[in-house]
Amino acid sequence: MGKVAGIDSSTAGTTVVVCDTDTGEVLRQGYAPHPVEGEAATSGKPTESDPQSWLLSLGEAAKDGLLEGVQAIGISGQQQGLLALDAGGVLVRPALLRGDKRAQPQAADLTAELGGPAKWAQAVQSVPQASYPVAKLRWLAQHEPATAQRTAEVLLPHDWLVWQLLGRPQRRTTDRGDVSGTGYWSAAAGEYRHDLVELALGHRVALPHVLGPAEPAGQTPEGLLISAGTGDTMAAALGLGVGPGDAVVSLGAASTVFAVHGEPLTDLSGTITSFADATGRHLPLLRTRNAVRVLRATAELLGTDLAGLSDLALSSTPGAYGLVLLPYLEGESTPNLPHSAGTLTGLRRESMKPEHLARAAFEGMLCGLADALDVLRGRGVAVRRVFLLGAAAELPAVRVIAPALFEAQVVVPEPGDYAAVGAARQAAWSLGVVLGSETAQAPPAWRGGAHQVLEPGDDQPVGQAIRQQYTTVREQTHPGAFAEV
């Protein structure tokens, strides 16, 4: 039995897990928050960070001999952060984090300058958003021109951490998964678009070498193997063990929906972003603006909490006595209705009861997510099994309603540090390839964690009827909303 470690450096802190190389069993784990100062300490939503704090957090999370006996380490880092370095490899400013929304005007400008969303989709399978490093580069050029001029090299958070662990070698590296979220690397072509960096920043910069999925980045001065690392979304997919036919729905205030696919997708409407994954496949991804926030708003209206809302919903019946809630409370991105509002229809005397409104909230949220899954299916992406993540996945109403509306088996994994586990699995893969015990074609087959499996069963016709009721209202209210997807 060997040991490998996975490190997930998120916006909030560092998680370290030590896993058995053969089974994936988590043997030890640690966590430490990132030290924060100034505005970030009070707002709880940092947009910038001194990367040295990530190293301090890592040291704290791995204290007391946590990494003893480890043979290899993998790194998962928050996607779409930006570290700008000068020609000597010195940071020219604090890192810009994923949650920084200041570059939204710059993202819009870049989209227009290249000729619109379709041109960007053809170039890099995505359309610039405020979080993308390509938009952050334009923001730097406009708001901090002296800093932009000094910028000679650009790294992502996981790239920088790998570089630090390796002792800051001359060669910098990244992986195809994380770099596919930059806005200047094409998952379809497997190459950088240096011209898009120049368009954003005003000049070209050095970019890290893109490693293959099982290719190690190198060894630490102490002799530990460091794998390529990847972004947190890709690492979580690897930790969950998803493969072709699997989709993941992450239930937060908003939601992320992605699936595993063998080919990159080019969606000219910009609705689908086609990331690469950490295995050589691809992760077509959509976002919805409205998920658990729909449930919270309804619970507040009814004077209860999420658990109470779930109980109310289950005391109603499928279809909520004809009540239909279009859950576009914050506008919507899937479909592209940024200025829309929520809509409640079907009000009759018999349907105006708390339990029916509660049921309509759950059905509306889940129908909106089913719409996103159908967009993927419509582009040839197989969705036979849906992994449902987030605390709201524990709600009984979600578990009862989701399988029939998704028309798929629903898997609810137990809560876990899946990005860190995925990073450890990548480390085991790289180590196995180096030692000759694994091939570069597929990661090691680890046992999956505990989970609950929910089947549509005999409720599938009921689910189809609810979807039809919802679709009819959506098309009447927003005709052709999905016409261009």
Side-chain angles (χ1 to χ4, degrees):
M1 179 183 74
K3 298 184 182 70
V4 291
I7 297 169
D8 177 47
S9 182
S10 71
T11 54
T14 302
T15 299
V16 181
V17 297
V18 175
C19 298
D20 181 289
T21 54
D22 298 325
T23 67
E25 178 187 358
V26 176
L27 305 173
R28 303 189 293 267
Q29 60 189 65
Y31 173 81
H34 294 323
V36 291
E37 299 177 355
E39 181 181 348
T42 56
S43 70
K45 296 180 179 179
T47 59
E48 299 185 4
S49 176
D50 178 358
Q52 293 297 327
S53 69
W54 309 342
L55 294 177
L56 293 172
S57 173
L58 171 54
E60 183 67 19
K63 67 182 182 181
D64 298 330
L66 187 73
L67 298 179
E68 183 178 349
V70 163
Q71 297 168 273
I73 296 174
I75 301 286
S76 161
Q78 57 166 295
Q79 280 185 264
Q80 299 177 335
L82 178 74
L83 291 92
L85 288 72
D86 66 15
V90 177
L91 286 165
V92 299
R93 70 173 327 281
L96 292 167
L97 304 183
R98 171 169 51 196
D100 191 340
K101 303 298 185 184
R102 289 176 290 182
Q104 189 60 56
Q106 288 73 30
D109 290 345
L110 286 169
T111 301
E113 288 170 24
L114 196 65
K119 293 292 186 181
W120 278 94
Q122 289 170 338
V124 291
Q125 295 74 61
S126 63
V127 179
Q129 303 294 328
S131 61
Y132 283 27
V134 72
K136 289 179 168 72
L137 289 175
R138 172 58 68 86
W139 184 89
L140 274 180
Q142 292 183 348
H143 291 269
E144 299 179 6
T147 299
Q149 192 61 39
R150 290 178 57 203
T151 299
E153 182 178 4
V154 170
L155 297 176
L156 302 173
H158 112 256
D159 308 340
W160 188 85
L161 285 166
V162 166
W163 184 49
Q164 297 297 313
L165 291 184
L166 291 176
R168 300 168 62 92
Q170 185 65 34
R171 186 179 79 149
R172 276 70 135 168
T173 63
T174 190
D175 91 301
R176 59 192 295 276
D178 208 0
V179 78
S180 66
T182 59
Y184 48 75
W185 187 84
S186 168
E191 61 186 23
Y192 283 114
R193 287 291 303 265
H194 293 278
D195 57 317
L196 299 181
V197 175
E198 189 170 2
L199 175 68
L201 188 61
H203 63 273
R204 295 200 176 194
V205 297
L207 298 170
H209 175 71
V210 182
L211 298 171
E215 187 178 357
Q219 288 188 334
T220 69
E222 297 77 25
L224 284 176
L225 184 79
I226 306 296
S227 63
T230 194
D232 51 5
T233 298
M234 298 78 194
L238 195 57
L240 285 165
V242 296
D246 291 334
V248 177
V249 175
S250 180
L251 288 175
S255 181
T256 300
V257 179
F258 65 85
V260 179
H261 195 50
E263 304 293 334
L265 292 182
T266 298
D267 174 28
L268 299 183
S269 74
T271 300
I272 300 173
T273 296
S274 190
F275 291 138
D277 78 349
T279 72
R281 297 188 178 95
H282 297 267
L283 294 178
L285 178 147
L286 305 95
R287 302 184 191 278
T288 70
R289 296 186 184 181
N290 300 279
V292 180
R293 61 167 42 105
V294 176
L295 304 183
R296 292 196 182 282
T298 308
E300 290 173 6
L301 179 66
L302 296 177
T304 187
D305 56 14
L306 291 183
L309 190 74
S310 176
D311 291 342
L312 279 171
L314 292 178
S315 69
S316 179
T317 56
Y321 266 69
L323 275 187
V324 176
L325 176 65
L326 295 186
Y328 306 153
L329 304 187
E330 299 289 333
E332 191 48 85
S333 51
T334 306
N336 184 27
L337 298 168
H339 306 298
S340 62
T343 304
L344 182 65
T345 65
L347 287 169
R348 294 180 176 85
R349 186 174 182 277
E350 60 271 21
S351 66
M352 292 181 67
K353 295 182 179 179
E355 60 267 29
H356 304 322
L357 178 55
R359 181 85 185 202
F362 278 96
E363 290 180 350
M365 178 193 76
L366 293 169
C367 281
L369 296 170
D371 278 349
L373 291 170
D374 282 351
V375 171
L376 293 175
R377 289 181 171 120
R379 294 298 307 274
V381 179
V383 178
R384 294 183 290 271
R385 187 169 64 159
V386 177
F387 284 72
L388 200 55
L389 307 182
E394 302 294 326
L395 294 173
V398 170
R399 296 187 174 204
V400 167
I401 299 169
L405 295 185
F406 291 168
E407 296 189 79
Q409 182 186 81
V410 172
V411 178
V412 184
E414 68 176 3
D417 299 309
Y418 291 105
V421 171
R425 189 179 181 203
Q426 186 195 65
W429 190 10
S430 291
L431 179 65
V433 169
V434 169
L435 297 178
S437 60
E438 299 284 348
T439 71
Q441 280 63 55
W446 280 6
R447 292 197 304 256
H451 56 266
Q452 183 175 1
V453 177
L454 310 170
E455 300 284 357
D458 296 335
D459 291 337
Q460 199 155 339
V462 174
Q464 292 170 345
I466 295 170
R467 288 289 308 282
Q468 183 57 56
Q469 176 179 269
Y470 176 90
T471 301
T472 298
V473 172
R474 189 197 66 220
E475 283 300 305
Q476 289 173 346
T477 311
H478 304 285
F482 283 105
E484 296 181 3
V485 179

